[in-house]
Amino acid sequence: MGKVIVIAFVTLDGVVEDPDGRGGTAFGGWAFRFGPEAVAGDKFRLGPVLQSGVLLFGRKTWEHFSRLWPARTDSFSIAMNQSPKAVVTRGTPDLSAWSHSTVLAGDLLDGVARIAQDRDVVVIGSTSIVRELAAADAVDEYRLLTFPSVIGDGARLLTVPMDLKLVSVDAIGPATLATYAAH
């Protein structure tokens, strides 16, 4: 049985919204203020999960990533580009924009459970997907890269109370990578 792993850039006050500034918010771009090396590469320590798991995106995040990642040629980008990708959408995106992409058909929880039967699922972006999975107690692990910024406004990753178990903490450049078990 695979794990459902949520990864997110987050501020000290829990904001996940607009880390790169493309959302146009007044506080946007907070993760990129520390330079490109702060967010580049395998900051979430996904390593082998990229070879054996499935990346799960909401449509907006997938569309944004599909414009950025295919042209990148570093080893982490190559692994991201070769990984299977599932897109949660009601529309019909041009899946040819990013190789190995498919639409996750049907109910989100059922689709994730199907995939997680034999491989890990890594949820990237899309707070609505994270919140739905968290509310259903369907997340096994959170990997949060926390930047030393306090924004004071913006969307938070989680909106339901929960207790998590700290698994590890590592300094990753200016940020900390904290891994939490949800069960």
Side-chain angles (χ1 to χ4, degrees):
M1 184 70 157
K3 295 190 294 188
V4 176
I5 303 166
V6 168
I7 64 171
F9 293 136
V10 62
T11 64
L12 282 176
D13 56 343
V15 173
V16 293
E17 184 179 3
D18 207 7
D20 61 1
R22 71 181 165 98
T25 63
F27 54 81
W30 48 265
F32 289 73
R33 290 184 192 129
F34 298 93
E37 65 281 348
V39 295
D42 191 6
K43 299 299 187 209
F44 294 99
R45 305 233 166 109
L46 295 172
V49 174
L50 291 176
Q51 296 172 11
S52 61
V54 174
L55 306 177
L56 180 66
F57 297 91
R59 181 191 48 81
K60 289 179 185 176
T61 303
W62 181 89
E63 286 176 345
H64 177 63
F65 278 35
S66 74
R67 289 187 292 273
L68 299 174
W69 287 93
R72 294 179 178 177
T73 57
D74 61 278
S75 60
F76 178 70
S77 297
I78 290 169
M80 285 280 289
N81 290 329
Q82 292 175 346
S83 291
K85 298 156 206 61
V87 184
V88 178
T89 183
R90 290 184 185 95
T92 53
D94 177 9
L95 296 177
S96 68
W98 199 9
S99 62
H100 310 291
S101 296
T102 60
V103 169
L104 183 69
D107 178 76
L108 172 65
L109 296 174
D110 290 341
V112 169
R114 263 191 325 273
I115 296 170
Q117 284 181 358
D118 60 355
R119 50 178 51 184
D120 291 334
V121 177
V122 179
V123 184
I124 301 176
S126 189
T127 54
S128 60
I129 291 172
V130 172
R131 289 176 183 163
E132 187 173 342
L133 293 171
D137 196 29
V139 177
D140 299 295
E141 183 176 295
Y142 294 89
R143 295 185 189 182
L144 306 178
L145 193 63
T146 305
F147 287 83
S149 296
V150 176
I151 303 302
D153 192 18
R156 302 311 195 253
L157 181 65
L158 300 168
T159 56
V160 296
M162 66 176 65
D163 293 316
L164 303 171
K165 179 183 177 189
L166 180 62
V167 175
S168 66
V169 178
D170 295 300
I172 307 287
T176 56
L177 176 63
T179 301
Y180 299 93
H183 301 111

